[in-house]
Amino acid sequence: MDWDKLRIFHAVADAGSLTAAGDKLHLSQSAVSRQIRALEESLSTILFHRHARGLILTEQGELLFDATKSMSRRLDAASARIKDSAEEVFGELKVTTTTGFGTLWLAPRLPALYEKYPDLNIDLMLEERVLDLPMREADVAIRMKEPSQADLVRKKLMTVRMRLYASQAYLDKVGGFDEIEDIGRHRLICQSPSAFQVAAGATLVGHLLSYDKPSLLHVNNYFGVLQAVLSDLGIGVLPDYVIEDFPTLVRVLPEVESGEVPVFLAYPEELRQSKRIMAFRDFVQDEIIAHRRRIRDGAAAIA
């Protein structure tokens, strides 16, 4: 097959439109159309169904698109390895993690990474959906569970727990409490137990709601929960790593917490030698070690 025609086919299949693919490839729509027709003729098959809203792959087109996706992924990986062959750490690194961890822990620490590697560009993708690392939707992931995908290098970074926190102003206004049975007198700020989140967090929220039902504020990520707590709205269910950067938060009911939630860093096996990956991995590990040390030293000072 003609490699150039396959490249154009992949762009059209990915975009679902001749016009969009042409814009991406800097070709006219007619030029893209001619290449697709020529490829279909060379294969003696139809690759797309045409309709008013765009293009839909035929069964044969789906087979070819699966092949070109694999080719594209391997070419991207080869390109990354070639770029990483120099000693310098530079270029784009696509990092994915959850909204809570990305906004509350990772993003505030990135200035130190940029200071060390000014030519590195981070594309930080924060979402609860688990992106496909082998298909290069991202280069490296930090997730709140061990990845199940094959062909990934994975490293356990730390464990976190969900705990209860409130502002001192809220506690001064409403009053504290020593028994979990008193939670009905308070407003609980949390993710909905049915929302996509770590199982340990959902279990803790479900346990809290089994008592006298409190006033509720549901937020779909921990950043929103934190902002509501800082605004003196109530008692929030938050991951314990927030306490270092927000030391004014007061822990409520210290005996109440979730089970341990493992935090894993993962990346494709084929990027094992990537200097960008290694730089990011070492940076995160160093920051976690420093984070643990500061928490330990703070606890020792209080004791």
Side-chain angles (χ1 to χ4, degrees):
M1 296 184 198
D2 186 314
W3 287 97
D4 197 50
K5 289 184 176 64
L6 288 176
R7 178 178 65 90
I8 293 171
F9 162 80
H10 181 80
V12 174
D14 189 49
S17 161
L18 294 173
T19 302
D23 290 341
K24 182 177 181 180
L25 297 170
H26 305 292
L27 295 172
S28 67
Q29 178 180 339
S30 59
V32 173
S33 180
R34 283 196 302 272
Q35 293 295 321
I36 294 299
R37 282 200 305 272
L39 180 61
E40 289 178 326
E41 290 172 2
S42 69
L43 294 172
S44 301
T45 191
I46 301 298
L47 299 173
F48 294 98
H49 294 301
R50 278 80 169 172
H51 63 88
R53 291 176 296 172
L55 302 175
I56 297 177
L57 287 165
T58 63
E59 182 178 353
Q60 292 78 12
E62 290 281 3
L63 289 172
L64 187 58
F65 189 40
D66 285 342
T68 59
K69 281 192 293 186
S70 178
M71 291 162 54
S72 177
R73 177 171 60 84
R74 291 180 179 277
L75 287 171
D76 285 344
S79 176
R81 287 197 297 270
I82 291 169
K83 290 178 180 177
D84 284 334
S85 62
E87 289 300 318
E88 297 84 4
V89 175
F90 70 97
E92 182 184 67
L93 182 68
K94 295 183 289 185
V95 178
T96 179
T97 188
T98 61
T99 302
F101 191 82
T103 55
L104 299 178
W105 194 89
L106 181 57
R109 288 164 173 78
L110 287 180
L113 180 64
Y114 275 102
E115 184 176 350
K116 188 172 183 180
Y117 303 110
D119 295 325
L120 183 64
N121 298 315
I122 301 293
D123 182 0
L124 187 56
M125 297 174 283
L126 306 181
E127 54 183 294
E128 309 312 310
R129 181 174 69 92
V130 177
L131 300 187
D132 192 330
L133 297 184
M135 290 303 296
R136 299 304 302 276
E137 288 187 317
D139 299 315
V140 59
I142 299 176
R143 308 302 308 188
M144 304 301 116
K145 61 182 294 187
E146 184 171 4
S148 59
Q149 292 171 295
D151 300 325
L152 293 181
V153 179
R154 63 205 72 198
K155 179 175 179 58
K156 186 177 180 180
L157 297 173
M158 61 179 179
T159 59
V160 302
R161 292 180 185 269
M162 305 302 157
R163 293 171 173 168
L164 302 180
Y165 297 96
S167 68
Q168 188 61 57
Y170 171 81
L171 295 175
D172 290 342
K173 179 177 64 176
V174 180
F177 63 106
D178 300 318
E179 302 290 337
I180 193 171
E181 289 79 7
D182 295 332
I183 197 167
R185 298 191 292 106
H186 295 268
R187 180 176 297 110
L188 185 66
I189 308 167
C190 59
Q191 294 195 60
S192 168
S194 62
F196 188 94
Q197 60 177 308
V198 294
T203 299
L204 176 58
V205 171
H207 175 64
L208 294 170
L209 296 181
S210 68
Y211 293 90
D212 288 343
K213 191 166 184 179
S215 170
L216 289 173
L217 171 61
H218 284 157
V219 186
N220 68 347
N221 62 66
Y222 288 120
F223 179 75
V225 173
L226 174 66
Q227 295 307 308
V229 172
L230 293 174
S231 299
D232 311 325
L233 275 176
I235 295 170
V237 179
L238 286 163
D240 57 10
Y241 55 73
V242 304
I243 197 63
E244 181 189 355
D245 294 327
F246 299 91
T248 60
L249 292 179
V250 179
R251 187 175 177 189
V252 179
L253 295 179
E255 72 280 4
V256 176
E257 62 182 10
S258 76
E260 288 189 343
V261 179
V263 180
F264 281 87
L265 182 143
Y267 50 91
E269 175 70 36
E270 61 199 19
L271 295 181
R272 181 185 287 275
Q273 302 303 319
S274 165
K275 288 183 170 55
R276 288 172 294 175
I277 295 284
M278 288 188 287
F280 181 79
R281 178 201 61 198
D282 293 345
F283 158 76
V284 171
Q285 290 182 152
D286 290 345
E287 287 293 323
I288 286 175
I289 292 171
H291 168 75
R292 288 173 175 164
R293 185 183 300 119
R294 288 190 292 266
I295 294 295
R296 185 175 62 247
D297 292 347
I302 293 174

